[in-house]
Amino acid sequence: MGVLDEPKIAIPAIFIVYFVVVGALAATGNIYAASAVAVFGSVLIYVTVALVMRAATTEAFYVAGRDVGPISIGSSIASNWMSGASFVSMAGAIALLGYDGLPYIIGWTLGYVIAAVLIAPFVRRSGTYTVPEFIETRSSNWPVARVIAVLMLFVVSFTYLVAQLVATGVIIGRFLGVPAVLGAMLGSLFVILFAGTGGWRSVVWVQVTQYWVLIVAYWIGFMLAAAKAGIFKPWPHIGYGGLLAELEAKETAFGLAHFTQPFKTSFAGGTNLVNWILGALALMLGTVGLPHVLSQFYLVKDVRTARYGVGWGLTFIGLLYLTAPVYAILARYGFSQVWGMPIEQAKQVGWIQKWLPTGLVKIADANNNGILDVKELSFHKDIVVIGMPDMWGLAWWVAVVVAVGGLAAALSTANGLLMVMTVGATRDIYKRFINPNVTEEREVWVGRGMLVLLAAISALAGARAIQDPTFSKYVALLVGWAFVFASSLFTPSIIMGIFWKGLNRYGIVAGMVAGLLVSFPYIAGVGLFGMAPIEIAGGKIGTIAWGVVGFLVHLIVAVVVSLATGGEKANPPETIEFVDRMKIPE
Amino acid sequence: MGNGESGVSEEVFKEYWGKMKTLTIVMLLLWTIPAFWMHLPVGTTQHIRILGGIPLHWFFAGFVAVVFGIALIFIYAIIMDKWDREILGK
């Protein structure tokens, strides 16, 4: 394994081999082989990175040795955060929803400001290894709080992971013509390879690599399409005004509301400005309570790196999230080009012809007038990113680049989720409750065993989700609700736990329980059982927006119960010292 | 790992923590601008066009808010970094 011990040689070397082989295949005109090697070869790169960075200490396995620098952790935060859905579906969701989809953009980014100011540096300074451990220590070593936190972590991470494996399966399947179920199985095998070698230490460096792969892939498709659309005036993100005006003229001609007009459709079952803003706030508050997000703050070198790292993380997330709305406009403009065309002619348009058989684009002449009316063209949100290279007549290899990027996005998030669950199962359950005196070597092996077990279970669930639309629907709903659960169950107590010594164990548990009782019935009722949503100022409050209510109820209940049970006096000196220690500069 | 003893006197730490609390509150108040206030006047901003045709409400939510957030994090990091160095005498 000699060469694998030298990261500065091994990692560039594998990239060069990759480009040479893929380039050679492409040059000889063997497009299918070049595509397949490009997609699977990218996985080989990640495996190499994981092997180079392998390690066998618990410190490396659980917290990457706590030596990751600011730009690296920023890349890792960004790829850990941006899922297969962010890459493939975000632009499409905005293309469908317009302004009503923008809560996703601000909601899934601005939470990191709260994380930077209120959480990341303190969590890093706390000396704990996991979020459940942090919660147990803060609630004066009450194991019940840790168990609740681990359960929560598993529910959220597991559903999220299943969604990633479905995305991986669909990307691999669509690209190589193999069944998506097989793709999902392969995806979970890849993740075992990345994470089994060195735990977080391998995963964090694989994520750094995957970030740069995914963002370059996203931008290549975008920049080429932007150049064709002529929106470099002087730069696509601020130069699309003219294109948008053309699109709006077309919308007016067809009697449609403008794409950017606010509140013409619903966001997570709610309507109007109140729901729009509460929805975005709930996503922000939920972000900072998600265990796989918080866990990254444990990996950094020091407090200073935690602060700058979150800044870089949001910058790198922004490179994709600020591009998605422009991507959406490019796609919408592409669609508008075929409105009003004779149906037969529209069916001959290159990208429609290619994607019609997949069902991602649908054409139906409902009124039999032979003309493609606006309502007769429908599309799946994934077509925006996946179909973009065809829509704008880009070279065949752009589609391959997009597939490689989508795979990187899905795998990087899957890596992180699987690690969070593995660490939860090993450190928070096995070591804490079953075998506290385990040796370090054995603990790492138990970790690897848990990893394989968890990956296998999620692969089965992923396969089920691909085959069974009902199961898949519940997975999708749960992913959206994860934010509501996180903001109602975790965020308030974590923040107060750092800043207010008066918060005690009774307050924490009462707050968590109250958060659950307020959030679960509402989102289940409205989301599943057709209960009418509550109305504020004439607008309906959707399931996601309800996360703000859960947050506030948790906050208030935790404060009231803490004060009623003696507040700070109910905390033993160790707990007070734990809170103080987080604030001392280092 | 440090054990919490950084050789800072109680008094100096109190002043540091006081400054830090103020900064934290200021940052959270500033955060409400991109998270909240910027989007409230959507009834007005949707009719304002900038940069050759982009509606302002769209540009706020799809661009300005996120850049604002990034700037806030870096400003916070730079200020805290300076204070940390000062208190530790580096």
Side-chain angles (χ1 to χ4, degrees), chain A residues 503-562:
Chain A
L503 181 76
N504 58 36
R505 58 161 69 162
Y506 311 106
I508 291 175
V509 172
M512 282 181 160
V513 171
L516 183 70
L517 290 179
V518 168
S519 57
F520 186 72
Y522 188 81
I523 57 179
V526 174
L528 284 180
F529 303 116
M531 193 178 98
I534 290 174
E535 290 193 18
I536 299 179
K540 293 174 180 143
I541 300 306
T543 48
I544 291 181
W546 191 256
V548 176
V549 179
F551 175 89
L552 291 175
V553 169
H554 179 157
L555 195 82
I556 293 163
V557 169
V559 169
V560 170
V561 171
S562 289

Side-chain angles (χ1 to χ4, degrees), chain B residues 48-64:
Chain B
I48 301 171
R49 301 272 171 160
I50 57 160
L51 297 166
I54 305 173
L56 192 58
H57 73 306
W58 173 272
F59 199 64
F60 273 167
F63 194 88
V64 179

Side-chain angles (χ1 to χ4, degrees), chain A residues 155-197:
Chain A
V155 170
V156 172
S157 305
F158 183 76
T159 47
Y160 230 77
L161 178 57
V162 170
Q164 299 313 310
L165 292 176
V166 170
T168 310
V170 170
I171 292 168
I172 294 179
R174 192 176 282 153
F175 224 77
L176 300 174
V178 297
V181 172
L182 182 65
M185 297 289 178
L186 280 175
S188 104
L189 182 71
F190 296 155
V191 179
I192 293 174
L193 289 176
F194 307 151
T197 43

Side-chain angles (χ1 to χ4, degrees), chain A residues 166-315:
Chain A
V166 170
T168 310
V170 170
I171 292 168
I172 294 179
R174 192 176 282 153
F175 224 77
L176 300 174
V178 297
V181 172
L182 182 65
M185 297 289 178
L186 280 175
S188 104
L189 182 71
F190 296 155
V191 179
I192 293 174
L193 289 176
F194 307 151
T197 43
W200 263 120
R201 187 170 150 83
S202 285
V203 166
V204 82
W205 292 104
V206 170
Q207 286 183 328
V208 170
T209 314
Q210 285 165 333
Y211 173 74
W212 293 102
V213 169
L214 83 86
I215 201 64
V216 168
Y218 201 78
W219 274 60
I220 284 179
F222 171 71
M223 292 304 248
L224 290 174
K228 284 237 172 176
I231 57 173
F232 273 89
K233 294 174 186 169
W235 190 254
H237 296 81
I238 51 171
Y240 57 87
L243 192 80
L244 185 63
E246 268 183 66
L247 171 63
E248 287 178 342
K250 204 123 205 203
E251 284 169 336
T252 309
F254 282 88
L256 293 175
H258 283 175
F259 176 59
T260 55
Q261 185 191 314
F263 320 126
K264 56 189 186 304
T265 140
S266 73
F267 174 78
T271 50
N272 96 352
L273 179 62
V274 178
N275 178 67
W276 194 97
I277 285 193
L278 288 181
L281 281 176
L283 293 177
M284 294 173 210
L285 295 170
T287 305
V288 292
L290 284 174
H292 78 285
V293 170
L294 293 173
S295 68
Q296 296 246 309
F297 307 142
Y298 284 102
L299 314 180
V300 295
K301 207 157 57 192
D302 48 25
V303 169
R304 181 174 184 270
T305 312
R307 295 192 195 110
Y308 281 105
V310 180
W312 286 115
L314 187 54
T315 307

Side-chain angles (χ1 to χ4, degrees), chain A residues 161 165 188 191-192 418 450-460:
Chain A
L161 178 57
L165 292 176
S188 104
V191 179
I192 293 174
L418 195 59
M450 296 281 190
L451 181 88
V452 172
L453 183 70
L454 290 164
I457 298 172
S458 354
L460 291 175

Side-chain angles (χ1 to χ4, degrees), chain A residues 12 44 73 125-126 176 178 249 265 272 300 312 320 327 367 370 420 451 525 568:
Chain A
L44 202 65
I73 198 66
R125 191 77 182 89
S126 72
L176 300 174
V178 297
T265 140
N272 96 352
V300 295
W312 286 115
L320 193 147
Y327 224 128
N367 54 8
V420 169
L451 181 88
E568 192 174 336

